[in-house]
Amino acid sequence: MLGRLRRHWRLQREQAALRRRAIPDDLWKRTLVRYPFLQRRAAEDAAALRRLTSLFLDRKEFSAAGGLQLGDAMVVAIAAQAVLPVLRLGLQAYDGFVGIVVHPDQVVARRQVADDAGVVHEYDELLAGEAVQGGPVMLSWRDVRAAGPGAAQGYNVVIHEFAHVLDMADGVANGVPLLPTELPVAAWRATLHEEYERFARRVDAGEDTALDPYGATAEDEFFAVASEAFFVSPQAMQAEHPVLYAMLGRYYRQDPATDTPPSRRSRA
Ligand SMILES: [Zn+2]
């Protein structure tokens, strides 16, 4: 009885949120045109994506930095890309954070690294986005906006950062998100490691790859980079990494290579 009541309240709260955060038809259509990888063949998936986008807008807090003016089209674009990976997993996968900070452009981060002799070196890193444990998620609007044309190269800063959020749900950034029981952690680690090593060797050899070479920096980055390509250039990703594609497909419970139209541009 209590369970049914709770479910009833939750549904009522969701209905109210969907009304509050309803996305106008023309704005939604423009978003799908600008970011074609959001389009889904199945009508129920397309409707679920729009619904989840509204709920995301209701639950998360957007803020602008660096004098950026955040408009409706911008927050809808970010939210729609952010919810794509959790279309089947549900929004609770993002319960660990609330804030999203949008900068006009990439952000310079001062980094420190100690060498083998213990000497600390400082350097600047340019960030298109950043996800930290507990949030907020930082995004560069210039990079978010480039996601349409960038899809053919497998780039997507929003999906990249939200893959990190999923990865960190168990408290560790290691390329292993919270897995359902039918996906054993040991098998996941083994496949990820094997694919990562093979990928890093190809990048070292200067080969052209379907995944962003940045994925060769570490296994958690490889998971984020593979997730980007899985959603925005799935056919190319599947062709080069069929085993990894299948594993991500079981985790995300999606098959974008068959559910979405192929990326229009061929890879250069
Ligand atoms: Zn990353």
Side-chain angles (χ1 to χ4, degrees), residues 83-101:
V83 300
L84 183 60
V86 296
L87 187 62
R88 299 261 163 72
L89 305 177
L91 263 192
Q92 69 278 2
Y94 292 154
D95 279 353
F97 83 100
V98 172
I100 296 157
V101 182

Side-chain angles (χ1 to χ4, degrees), residues 160 164 214 221:
H160 182 101
H164 280 316
Y214 180 69
E221 293 302 342

